[in-house]
Amino acid sequence: MTFWTPYPHLSNQLEQVQYMMTTAIHVKNPQTQAAILNLFASGGKRLRPAYLLLFSEFTDLEPDKRIALASSIEMLHTATLIHDDVIDQAETRRGVPTISHLYGPEIAVYAGDYLFIAVFRLMIQHALDLSNLSQRVEAMEKLLNGELGQMNLKFNTEQTISDYIDNISGKTAELFAQACAVAPFADGNYRLAQLAYDIGLNIGIAFQIMDDYLDYTADSETLGKPVLADMQQGIYSAPVLFALGADTRVAECLKQEDFDTVFKIIQQTEALQKTYDLARQYTTTALKLINKLPNTPVKSDIRQITEELLERQL
């Protein structure tokens, strides 16, 4: 049983997305080709294309355009993951070795670059107009600005929760926002597109906060990545920031690279509860906005999936 088993129609569409992504890859270098296809095969929940397909139910878009849009958003997401892993020198992703670890950073960078090109080629092939292409460019710019904002604050123990939210709004939430908004936008329903964008942005922020919460509540084997990797690289997520505010020892421990003590303080203070409450706050906002969607059967699916994301263990 997968995350999407209770939603058979959506599950079937996501299989079509997987097929379209796979057939869109034609790289002359065999290693790069294999690296991309292996990453596609390693899975993940496919949340961004799923939300795109769910919100496309409010539109009159043809099935092939829905699948093409969903494929393009997932390929864009995958490209950013590949480049992230190169920068982070990460050895695993989703519990499997990263492309950069298996094939080296050179192949990984080429693979990520190729996927950016594949995104635009796919959209052109399916006659998606220039305004949709500009949306992808805008999303990529916001993603990059989120990453740059995070980089600018590395090892900064003075940063605030507001700084953190600003960065994850670009780094993670923007793609969720685009996933929800792009189908209504392509269908010309701009009012619905704006509502969908706001829903996706709140879902994406809540999702990233929960990811950061799980870093400190799940072991690395369960989560598929080292739980303290971000802290070691000077990236301080919500649990660390709340701990900084709760205990004056945390800043010094971070400077001394005494991560075990920081981890213990996070467990002993209200840092994790405050992180969870922050995720719930953004989920609640998303659910209130979801209530404003047209009353069709898909609305309840969107609500249920969004609620499940807050309770997930992975």
Side-chain angles (χ1 to χ4, degrees):
M1 182 172 175
T2 70
F3 189 80
W4 303 115
T5 301
Y7 312 95
H9 177 61
L10 182 58
S11 181
N12 178 263
Q13 288 181 307
L14 288 171
E15 287 180 10
Q16 294 176 53
V17 167
Q18 177 79 3
Y19 178 77
M20 183 174 284
M21 290 196 304
T22 301
T23 54
I25 305 304
H26 306 286
V27 191
K28 289 184 178 179
N29 179 276
Q31 276 191 306
T32 307
Q33 172 94 2
I36 293 171
L37 293 180
N38 286 341
L39 185 56
F40 285 167
S42 72
K45 281 193 175 67
R46 302 280 189 245
L47 288 169
R48 295 151 194 82
Y51 271 108
L52 191 148
L53 293 165
L54 287 163
F55 276 86
S56 72
E57 294 293 324
F58 297 113
T59 75
D60 293 321
L61 288 179
E62 298 94 331
D64 72 304
K65 287 188 177 178
R66 298 183 189 194
I67 300 300
L69 284 169
S71 301
S72 74
I73 210 88
E74 184 63 7
M75 287 199 295
L76 180 55
H77 173 230
T78 305
T80 65
L81 295 183
I82 293 170
H83 284 171
D84 278 355
D85 289 338
V86 174
I87 293 166
D88 296 342
Q89 298 181 340
E91 294 187 0
T92 61
R93 163 78 65 178
R94 296 169 182 162
V96 300
T98 60
I99 288 179
S100 54
H101 181 62
L102 284 175
Y103 302 102
E106 185 178 53
I107 291 292
V109 170
Y110 286 141
D113 290 349
Y114 180 85
L115 282 175
F116 284 127
I117 296 165
V119 166
F120 294 105
R121 189 179 65 227
L122 190 63
M123 297 182 77
I124 291 166
Q125 284 174 345
H126 290 268
L128 291 158
D129 61 28
L130 191 60
S131 62
N132 269 288
L133 294 176
S134 70
Q135 288 269 304
R136 293 292 81 71
V137 173
E138 184 179 325
M140 288 164 71
E141 183 180 10
K142 288 181 179 178
L143 284 165
L144 179 59
N145 282 332
E147 292 285 0
L148 290 172
Q150 179 176 275
M151 186 174 72
N152 290 341
L153 290 169
K154 275 190 171 184
F155 300 102
N156 184 344
T157 56
E158 302 295 321
Q159 65 186 281
T160 64
I161 288 292
S162 179
D163 294 327
Y164 165 77
I165 295 295
D166 284 347
N167 289 334
I168 66 173
S169 292
K171 188 173 78 81
T172 301
E174 178 61 25
L175 264 187
F176 276 92
Q178 291 287 335
C180 294
V182 70
F185 182 84
D187 201 39
N189 191 337
Y190 302 121
R191 178 179 290 185
L192 178 59
Q194 184 58 58
L195 174 59
Y197 182 93
D198 292 341
I199 290 169
L201 195 68
N202 280 278
I203 290 171
I205 292 171
F207 179 84
Q208 184 60 58
I209 296 169
M210 276 304 295
D211 244 21
D212 294 336
Y213 170 84
L214 288 168
D215 275 354
Y216 296 91
T217 59
D219 59 42
S220 60
E221 186 177 342
T222 302
L223 199 61
K225 64 179 180 178
V227 292
L228 300 182
D230 283 352
M231 197 196 303
Q232 292 165 347
Q233 292 166 14
I235 299 169
Y236 304 147
S237 58
V240 179
L241 296 180
F242 282 125
L244 277 163
D247 193 315
T248 54
R249 293 176 296 160
V250 174
E252 187 58 31
C253 287
L254 288 170
K255 289 174 186 175
Q256 298 297 328
E257 299 188 356
D258 184 2
F259 302 123
D260 287 340
T261 299
V262 176
F263 186 86
K264 288 173 185 174
I265 293 171
I266 288 171
Q267 304 295 324
Q268 292 164 359
T269 62
E270 294 183 351
L272 285 177
Q273 185 59 52
K274 286 184 176 180
T275 301
Y276 185 83
D277 290 345
L278 188 63
R280 180 173 289 283
Q281 176 186 322
Y282 281 95
T283 300
T284 299
T285 301
L287 293 173
K288 286 179 180 176
L289 292 171
I290 288 168
N291 286 338
K292 298 180 180 181
L293 290 170
N295 287 316
T296 65
V298 74
K299 178 178 175 179
S300 63
D301 288 345
I302 293 171
R303 165 175 278 278
Q304 185 175 337
I305 290 164
T306 302
E307 288 175 334
E308 286 175 5
L309 287 181
L310 189 70
E311 302 300 333
R312 76 188 192 280
Q313 298 301 311
L314 291 171

